[in-house]
Amino acid sequence: MSQLIPQNPLEDPALEAYHDFLLRRSRRFTEELDRIIAHYGSLRAYANLHKDLGIHRVTNAAGQTRWRVREYLPCAEAVWLTTNRLNFQRHADYRFTRLENDIFELTLPEEALSHGVYLELRVLSRAARPESAGPESANPPLRRVPAFAQWVEQDPIVPAQWCARLWAPDTPYRFRHRRPRALVFPRIYEAHVGMAQPALTHKGESVGSYADFTGMILPRIKADGYTAVQLMGILEHPLYRSFGYQVSSYFAPSSRYGTPDQFRELVDTAHGLGLAVILDITHGHACPNTEQGLARYDGSTYFFSEKYNQWGTPSFDYSQEMTRRFLLSNCRYWLEEYRVDGFRFDAVGNMLYRDHGVDDDFSHVGRCFYGKDGLPRGDEPGELYLCLANALIHELAPHSTSIAEEFSGMPGLTCPPAQGGLGFDYRFAMGIPDYWGKCIEAPRDMGSLWHEMTNHRPYDRTISYVECHDQCINGDDAMIWRLLGDDMYASMSVFTDTWKVSRGLAFYRLMRLITLATADAGYLNFMGNEFGHPEWLDAEAYAHRQWHLAERADLKYAQLAAWDKAQLRDLVAAHLEDFQQAPLFRFIHEEKRLLAFERGRLLFAFNFHELDAQQDLAFAVTPGKYVEMLSSDETRFAGHGNLVVAPRPVEHFTRVLPQRQEQDVTLYLPPLVALVLRRED
């Protein structure tokens, strides 16, 4: 009797030695959720700090509309709200009153504040005051941007200065479109609003806008066959070249690109196009800036641990209940206020390990539970937070999507806590782009290719990609650049050809197809890579995308764009039921560099050899008639036309094999070419 395939980490015999860790994870989540429900009524009510803290209009017992401002400041002695109307000076009427549980509160008449007014806090901190401090001049109040500010702007004259503004328009934005249905085999387009600006309009240090992205980029994403857009750099951050990974204001969409309502319109328009919007959030660490962010917000470590991480930024301390509530409230806020459809959690490995997983290749699964010193390394409060976050996300929006960017291979990330997991929907297959980088440097064996493309535990749902932003920023080379180099500038005309460009484009097409065709549960592309964008991305000179290249019929960039669209629309979208089945290995030949597999009724055959064509390649498949669908060698895809799918496609009939259920199919495969066929009974 064959061994049953494990459905979760608790059923996995390879993890038997680590069951105690998995069971404790499950038990902690259950006990904490029970406690939250007993004390707060629900997880949703627990994640309400943004409703209780920050600035809100309220009605008092006398029926008067007032502004209520609350802040959580455990190490503060005194707090003031300052505004541009007060010339940012402290005023007695704007001093907060301390309540219980380290909450400070201020109430103001409705006319004291209005939409667009500039706001700052002045915080007199116990933690910042030396024991021998004398007068206040020796301990001046800290200048802070309110933690729950929903609109934060950079001073155009003094760029180091940031200030909150009150977002309270007379007419709130009204969403017109419903969220799309749950994603099935999501095709995700990773993008950065500011750096998606067209190169032809980029000047100096200009950045793109929400409005431009809504009007110009979203329709392109939809037309290319993607079903979700994953947005980087939305949460406000003072350092633009951090690409949004050093967040200062967790409740404010970046004002560099426009207003909060313009971001709402972006999300709403995406929904009207049937696109889900996934927000990239950093709940593992925050920016180190004090005046702009949460670091030492009240003079103390505040929500963070004493130890900074490998990036030199403060890491959240998940053992603090207020930290967990703050981050959970942040998830709820974006889901409810902006109707995003989920989150890609950045650097999950840094949240799972007390040592942040630094200097460890995690070559053995045991490294996920024990450090090099042999001691348990897990950050149990961090695990608990992630379990709670995923439970909350799916409670508030059942069709939402949560994705883990996690480097260690922690088992069970995409299983529920009751099964020893963390509750994510998907995890990124982060080893695949690293593998492709090695393949470009030197050929790899076909067995390792199949292994890397399909290597995941049966119960962990993964999203595959050739490259994401990590391979395309600040001078790092995208895969196409590693293949072609400077030839991208001189030899991409359809009227010229070189061996380097021909070979590079052929290999690039194969990379993208086999990554998509073997992807377990979804696929991701970074903006511009679908047409082989020739430049990296940074915060200044190259803070743009050359979209016009994909529209030039005389350039091979347009042909690469056509290849990407054909894969997503003609292949995946048209045969989605096949992509919901796992790839089935059929054939491999190391010396001839051949690989073939089925997926549902689809048959994929690859020839990775650079010189040798296969005239009569025969291998065993599921019996039936196979009809040619797509060839990577078609001239419309910058191929050479040696294998073209004709208007009346070629049909291949299988031949009986003795004592086999499978039957032989015979194909022709030119060098560096892939062929996709569909089985018809």
Side-chain angles (χ1 to χ4, degrees):
M1 179 176 171
S2 61
Q3 190 175 15
L4 295 177
I5 298 175
Q7 300 301 305
N8 59 66
L10 292 176
E11 295 179 1
D12 193 339
L15 300 176
E16 188 173 353
Y18 314 108
H19 273 199
D20 285 347
F21 289 97
L22 302 173
L23 291 172
R24 284 200 300 273
R25 175 190 296 169
S26 178
R27 186 167 56 249
R28 281 193 304 272
F29 169 74
T30 301
E31 291 174 352
E32 178 63 7
L33 187 59
D34 288 345
R35 185 191 72 83
I36 288 171
I37 293 173
H39 285 80
Y40 295 88
S42 68
L43 185 55
R44 181 177 184 272
Y46 183 71
N48 74 335
L49 283 189
H50 62 297
K51 299 283 188 180
D52 191 44
L53 303 182
I55 302 178
H56 299 279
R57 276 196 181 98
V58 296
T59 302
N60 62 17
Q64 299 172 318
T65 300
R66 308 275 288 177
W67 290 105
R68 187 195 70 200
V69 191
R70 286 180 178 168
E71 288 283 339
Y72 171 69
L73 295 161
C75 283
E77 288 186 4
V79 186
W80 294 263
L81 181 71
T82 67
T83 73
N84 57 318
R85 293 180 181 178
L86 301 174
N87 204 24
F88 294 106
Q89 299 300 308
R90 286 179 286 166
H91 192 285
D93 292 341
Y94 285 71
R95 179 169 177 166
F96 288 70
T97 300
R98 179 187 282 275
L99 307 179
E100 59 183 7
N101 298 322
D102 299 318
I103 304 296
F104 285 78
E105 181 181 271
L106 169 67
T107 58
L108 295 169
E110 188 174 20
E111 61 271 17
L113 303 174
S114 61
H115 176 68
V117 67
Y118 288 87
L119 307 164
E120 288 184 344
L121 296 180
R122 296 292 184 267
V123 180
L124 195 61
S125 170
R126 293 196 307 270
R129 178 191 290 271
E131 292 184 5
S132 59
E136 185 181 298
S137 59
N139 181 38
L142 306 174
R143 177 180 180 174
R144 295 292 182 260
V145 173
F148 291 88
Q150 298 180 13
W151 187 14
V152 181
E153 282 190 350
Q154 184 177 24
D155 190 316
I157 299 175
V158 186
Q161 300 289 346
W162 290 74
C163 192
R165 298 186 70 180
L166 179 61
W167 183 259
D170 292 334
T171 305
Y173 185 88
R174 295 185 63 180
F175 286 90
R176 306 181 304 277
H177 304 289
R178 293 183 177 181
R179 284 189 171 102
R181 296 180 179 179
L183 295 173
V184 178
F185 195 84
R187 283 81 79 196
I188 302 172
Y189 196 89
E190 184 186 26
H192 186 289
V193 168
M195 298 174 193
Q197 64 179 320
L200 298 180
T201 59
H202 176 224
K203 297 179 180 178
E205 296 185 5
S206 66
V207 300
S209 68
Y210 294 128
D212 288 344
F213 194 90
T214 300
M216 298 170 56
I217 310 303
L218 286 179
R220 180 187 295 271
I221 295 170
K222 173 66 176 180
D224 285 349
Y226 292 90
T227 58
V229 55
Q230 177 184 302
L231 294 177
M232 307 163 55
I234 296 298
L235 280 63
E236 192 60 89
H237 50 289
L239 181 62
Y240 192 46
R241 67 169 47 254
S242 77
F243 295 90
Y245 293 108
Q246 293 186 19
V247 174
S248 54
S249 296
Y250 277 79
F251 293 83
S254 181
S255 61
R256 289 183 178 91
Y257 322 130
T259 68
D261 275 359
Q262 287 174 324
F263 179 62
R264 287 184 173 91
E265 184 176 12
L266 186 159
V267 176
D268 198 15
T269 302
H271 289 169
L273 293 171
L275 295 170
V277 178
I278 299 169
L279 209 59
D280 205 338
I281 56 172
T282 57
H283 280 189
H285 58 99
C287 85
N289 304 40
T290 52
E291 288 194 1
Q292 295 90 0
L294 295 175
R296 307 202 69 82
Y297 188 60
D298 62 354
S300 71
T301 54
Y302 201 56
F303 288 149
F304 306 99
S305 66
E306 293 282 358
K307 182 181 177 182
Y308 276 42
N309 55 42
Q310 64 267 43
W311 301 296
T313 58
S315 298
F316 284 104
D317 179 4
Y318 307 103
S319 66
Q320 298 183 44
E321 181 167 43
M322 285 298 281
T323 300
R324 297 197 300 271
R325 291 190 65 192
F326 175 85
L327 295 173
L328 290 171
S329 299
N330 192 235
C331 294
R332 178 182 169 185
Y333 172 78
W334 290 102
L335 287 169
E336 293 184 342
E337 294 296 322
Y338 291 92
R339 298 193 183 182
V340 302
D341 303 289
F343 305 97
R344 178 261 199 191
F345 283 79
D346 177 67
V348 167
N350 285 268
M351 305 167 75
L352 294 178
Y353 305 109
R354 287 176 293 173
D355 59 8
H356 305 299
V358 177
D359 297 328
D360 198 330
D361 61 4
F362 290 90
S363 56
H364 185 271
V365 68
R367 309 293 291 165
C368 295
F369 303 98
Y370 293 99
K372 294 179 181 179
D373 56 5
L375 298 176
R377 72 189 309 182
D379 187 330
E380 294 182 352
E383 287 188 351
L384 175 61
Y385 166 68
L386 289 170
C387 290
L388 292 171
N390 282 309
L392 175 70
I393 291 165
H394 295 104
E395 176 185 320
L396 295 175
H399 290 168
S400 61
T401 299
S402 66
I403 305 172
E405 189 231 18
E406 201 276 329
F407 54 77
S408 75
M410 170 64 76
L413 279 184
T414 64
C415 294
Q419 298 175 0
L422 291 163
F424 286 97
D425 293 297
Y426 308 99
R427 69 182 308 156
F428 278 169
M430 296 184 69
I432 290 179
D434 291 339
Y435 177 79
W436 282 126
K438 296 173 183 176
C439 286
I440 291 173
E441 292 176 1
R444 312 284 285 189
D445 64 274
M446 302 306 293
S448 72
L449 173 60
W450 176 254
H451 173 76
E452 286 294 338
M453 294 299 109
T454 59
N455 179 30
H456 63 88
R457 294 182 178 86
Y459 44 80
D460 270 339
R461 295 180 297 277
T462 60
I463 290 177
S464 297
Y465 55 103
V466 174
E467 53 200 334
C468 66
H469 71 269
D470 286 331
Q471 286 76 40
C472 307
I473 62 175
N474 283 341
D476 200 0
D477 292 335
M479 298 299 174
I480 191 74
W481 183 269
R482 301 183 202 189
L483 287 164
L484 305 186
D486 288 339
D487 283 39
M488 296 198 71
Y489 291 118
S491 304
M492 289 294 279
S493 168
V494 298
F495 305 111
T496 62
D497 206 3
T498 67
W499 164 248
K500 186 174 184 179
V501 169
S502 176
R503 181 259 182 199
L505 295 185
F507 190 74
Y508 192 63
R509 292 192 297 271
L510 298 193
M511 288 169 62
R512 294 180 70 83
L513 176 60
I514 198 168
T515 304
L516 172 64
T518 56
D520 168 51
Y523 177 75
L524 176 136
N525 169 63
F526 180 66
M527 63 176 186
N529 290 350
E530 69 276 10
F531 62 87
H533 196 282
E535 292 172 338
W536 58 84
L537 195 68
D538 67 10
E540 287 115 12
Y542 297 100
H544 59 247
R545 298 281 85 178
Q546 298 197 56
W547 302 111
H548 62 283
L549 296 178
E551 297 160 3
R552 292 269 304 271
D554 61 329
L555 296 178
K556 293 174 182 177
Y557 295 107
Q559 296 175 327
L560 285 179
W563 173 240
D564 194 70
K565 185 180 293 187
Q567 293 178 86
L568 294 180
R569 297 183 70 92
D570 302 339
L571 190 57
V572 182
H575 303 282
L576 193 56
E577 70 282 359
D578 296 308
F579 277 83
Q580 294 178 64
Q581 302 183 50
L584 176 63
F585 173 81
R586 282 306 189 193
F587 179 76
I588 193 170
H589 195 296
E590 287 293 349
E591 291 181 2
K592 295 181 178 180
R593 301 190 61 74
L594 302 171
L595 182 63
F597 55 91
E598 295 179 49
R599 187 157 196 174
R601 289 179 172 270
L602 300 177
L603 174 62
F604 297 86
F606 291 82
N607 182 358
F608 276 90
H609 202 287
E610 296 183 359
L611 300 175
D612 292 348
Q614 298 299 314
Q615 297 290 342
D616 296 298
L617 173 63
F619 55 92
V621 295
T622 302
K625 178 179 73 173
Y626 286 84
V627 181
E628 293 183 359
M629 285 181 52
L630 193 64
S631 165
S632 68
D633 194 45
E634 298 191 39
T635 55
R636 61 183 174 131
F637 304 138
H640 290 282
N642 294 315
L643 179 56
V644 176
V645 176
R648 295 184 63 181
V650 176
E651 298 175 347
H652 301 262
F653 293 87
T654 57
R655 299 188 309 275
V656 176
L657 289 170
Q659 300 179 343
R660 292 278 299 273
Q661 290 184 343
E662 298 84 7
Q663 297 183 4
D664 256 359
V665 68
T666 303
L667 304 176
Y668 165 59
L669 282 180
L672 285 178
V673 169
L675 179 64
V676 185
L677 307 95
R678 167 111 172 136
R679 188 178 74 250
E680 297 180 359
D681 294 331

